Amino acid sequence: MRTLTTGTAALLLAASLAVTLTSCSADGNNPTVAPQAKIPAGLAVEGYAIASPDAATAAAEAFDRSEAAIDTVGVSGVAITAGGAGVAPSDESANSLREAAQSAGKEAELLVVNAGQDGFSGELATQLLSSRANREFVVSGLTGEVVNGGWDGVQIDFESLSAADAPGLVDFAAELRDALPDDATISMAVQPDTDEAGYADLGYDLAALSDSVDRFVLMAYDQHGTGFSEPGPVGGLPWVGQVLDAALELVPADRLDLGVAGYGYRWTGEGTAGGAVSVAEARTGAQSTGSWDAEQAEYTASPGDGSTLWWSDGRSITARADLAESKGLHGVAIWQLTTGDPIRRG
């Protein structure tokens, strides 16, 4: 999952991808149409959007398509500033998404990320987490966003960490919990690993973080992706099961959401070259060569131009939501609304 900077940068830029959804079809095996993702009634649903003036209209339209199925909108809206000493304020596009969500009776979470133009930065996270003064500045900024901006909570999305960052992350979460209003929630996005011990290596002391974090989102995607691997499923179902089982050794099921991809990758030749694509772009690029891989529960295509595509569409999301329900999870979290298929309750 988003362990490498090149892969994360592609996702952060995904808000600029064209979003053209075709009509739904009863034939879920047909990769050229857009089946709606079906979420079991008992699961909570978070849908993500990236705050960007250029993508504001697309994000609003994507939310409208899936509004009835969504409980929480996660808005990737603020980033840690250079040196880890502050947090950039949210802009109007983030506030517009928050207002749309809350006007529809949904919760709105503000995501804080350790990322910039080049993707997620472990160095930036270390600069923040290792300094009490820097943590205080960032906590103060996030608390101001929640209190003055009307957000329902904060999601910490810190990636590309190391084991040495774990104590500082625990301190940061605890300090944020103490500063926020009692009714404000804290959730945390967590990179996946197939081994229980691997979460500590990734910088997440999940047992200690549980004292401050209400809910964890397991980002069960980017098993493969352009920039860091050869072609393969974005998050194949067998691999998703492995990372989920490892996480459940550390986090109670009712405090865990399964993160699911609503996008794909197009490799342009041998190796890792290519880029992220929306589901609609993947269907177009497949040129009618796409097929459903039942084992991985994703679509793949080799259209004959030297490229290879893998993408996670509505049918893929349904399979992972069913897995989440079978494991007794709190819910699912879809990255992201503007690049994936519509969502509805099954």
Side-chain angles (χ1 to χ4, degrees), residues 201-212:
D201 294 336
L202 289 169
Y204 306 111
D205 184 343
L206 295 177
L209 287 166
S210 295
D211 292 336
S212 305

Side-chain angles (χ1 to χ4, degrees), residues 40 87 101 128 155 185 296 324:
V87 60
L128 163 63
Q155 184 165 124
T185 59
Q296 304 297 336

Side-chain angles (χ1 to χ4, degrees), residues 36-132:
Q36 287 184 321
K38 300 176 183 178
I39 310 297
L43 290 178
V45 178
E46 180 162 19
Y48 292 108
I50 296 176
S52 165
D54 295 336
T57 299
E61 291 175 349
F63 171 67
D64 288 343
R65 283 191 293 269
S66 300
E67 176 189 320
I70 294 174
D71 301 293
T72 301
V73 176
V75 180
S76 187
V78 294
I80 304 304
T81 56
V87 60
S90 60
D91 63 15
E92 185 56 37
S93 62
N95 291 320
S96 295
L97 287 169
R98 175 190 56 77
E99 290 174 357
Q102 292 174 334
S103 295
K106 316 298 181 180
E107 300 288 306
E109 283 190 325
L110 180 66
L111 272 65
V112 55
V113 299
N114 60 316
Q117 290 297 318
D118 296 326
F120 284 91
S121 168
E123 179 182 6
L124 187 61
T126 298
Q127 290 171 333
L128 163 63
L129 299 174
S130 63
S131 167
R132 182 180 180 88

Side-chain angles (χ1 to χ4, degrees), residues 274-294:
V277 293
S278 69
V279 171
E281 288 176 322
R283 292 190 179 107
T284 300
Q287 299 177 20
S288 301
T289 68
S291 61
W292 174 254
D293 187 310

Side-chain angles (χ1 to χ4, degrees), residues 246-257:
L248 286 172
E249 294 295 324
L250 301 165
V251 177
D254 62 0
R255 296 178 63 182
L256 186 65
D257 285 353

